[in-house]
Amino acid sequence: KLLSWLDGMIEADEDYFARHGEPLFSSHTLDLSEEPLKQNIDTCVHYLTRLSAVNCLLEVELGASGGADEGMDGTSAENASLYTQPEEVCWAFETLSKVSPAFLIAPAFGNVHGAYKPPRVLLQPAILESAQRYIVEEKGVVSRGPKPVLYAFHGGSGANEHDIRAAIAAGVVKMNVDTDTQWAYWNGLREYEASKRPYLQTQVGNPEGQEKPNKKHYDTRVWLRRAELGLADRVKGTIHDLGGAGVTAARK
């Protein structure tokens, strides 16, 4: 029911590409993981065909990442839908590769949207490596090296550094950390409010005096800055977890 929204964005890509030689968006994600696998990939083939014509990447989701976004609370970690099989990754990879190499696959390997305490989250990065080996060893795909599939890691919030590094070693090139960044932004604001609470109750009057103004404390720019600094700290932590600290496009 949301495909019409995607159609509109791709039409904007096509129009922008016709005028500027590049797409308006660099990529689009299409999550049809609740649909049967063939329907999912057949639909993705249709959109990848359009996107490849404007040099735009498509991100495809296989299996269900648990969590609040999917109506799962993380307790169904043994559900088969939370663990994409190597054969499923292989079939999707082979089918999409016939159209274009410009796609990422986001398999389910126990990852969830949201933050949950163990043992609710049972990440299995080995599933990603198993799919790579299956494609290379069982299917003989060698044209793209030992890691032919480029993976996206959905639901990276709450993952520990060991699992993140294992996922990267298995071919992950993108990780989503929406929940952690939301909390970091809010937490920066929360901590500021807690530290300045007596100065945030009235416009005038605080512990320093009943006639002292509080504008510099409730100024929107001040508390938004604290939220931004909280987010910035979390982003720096994520860059470290991903092994990107000190790395730029020009310096690796």
Side-chain angles (χ1 to χ4, degrees), residues 16-234:
Y16 195 87
F17 186 87
R19 291 183 287 115
H20 302 285
E22 61 182 11
L24 182 60
F25 300 96
S26 61
S27 68
H28 295 285
T29 298
L30 181 55
D31 181 3
L32 297 176
S33 56
E34 293 186 359
E35 307 299 333
L37 180 62
K38 188 176 188 307
Q39 181 180 342
N40 179 354
I41 300 306
D42 284 349
T43 305
C44 288
V45 164
H46 166 73
Y47 285 105
L48 182 59
T49 301
R50 291 181 64 185
L51 290 173
S52 63
V54 294
N55 298 332
C56 191
L57 183 144
L58 179 65
E59 189 170 321
V60 178
E61 188 159 347
L62 302 180
S65 296
D69 289 357
E70 279 67 39
M72 302 178 187
D73 64 359
T75 59
S76 303
E78 295 182 0
N79 187 319
S81 67
L82 297 183
Y83 296 96
T84 305
Q85 300 304 305
E87 295 84 356
E88 295 172 324
V89 176
C90 180
W91 187 76
F93 171 79
E94 290 184 318
T95 304
L96 294 169
S97 293
K98 293 175 183 178
V99 177
S100 168
F103 63 88
L104 303 181
I105 292 179
F109 57 103
N111 41 325
V112 301
H113 291 128
Y116 300 93
K117 293 182 179 180
R120 283 185 155 186
V121 179
L122 299 174
L123 284 176
Q124 301 289 339
I127 288 176
L128 306 178
E129 183 64 38
S130 295
Q132 299 278 28
R133 287 200 308 270
Y134 180 85
I135 291 171
V136 173
E137 297 173 7
E138 299 295 327
K139 293 295 185 176
V141 176
V142 296
S143 59
R144 294 176 63 172
K147 301 286 190 296
V149 185
L150 299 179
Y151 290 125
F153 180 171
H154 287 186
S157 293
N160 62 52
E161 184 177 346
H162 173 78
D163 285 337
I164 291 172
R165 295 295 176 92
I168 292 171
V172 164
V173 297
K174 173 180 179 283
M175 184 176 77
N176 296 356
V177 287
D178 181 54
T179 299
D180 277 359
T181 51
Q182 287 178 348
W183 170 256
Y185 191 90
W186 156 249
N187 196 47
L189 173 56
R190 183 186 66 84
E191 290 180 344
Y192 175 74
E193 189 278 334
S195 68
K196 298 293 184 180
R197 186 166 298 162
Y199 298 84
L200 300 172
Q201 306 308 307
T202 60
Q203 286 187 298
V204 179
N206 59 50
E208 298 176 20
Q210 292 304 309
E211 296 182 355
K212 295 289 185 178
N214 294 316
K215 184 180 186 305
K216 67 179 181 180
H217 301 294
Y218 64 76
D219 187 323
T220 307
R221 293 166 294 184
V222 174
W223 52 265
L224 279 178
R225 180 60 175 163
R226 294 302 183 92
E228 291 168 348
L229 289 172
L231 175 59
D233 285 342
R234 183 63 185 88

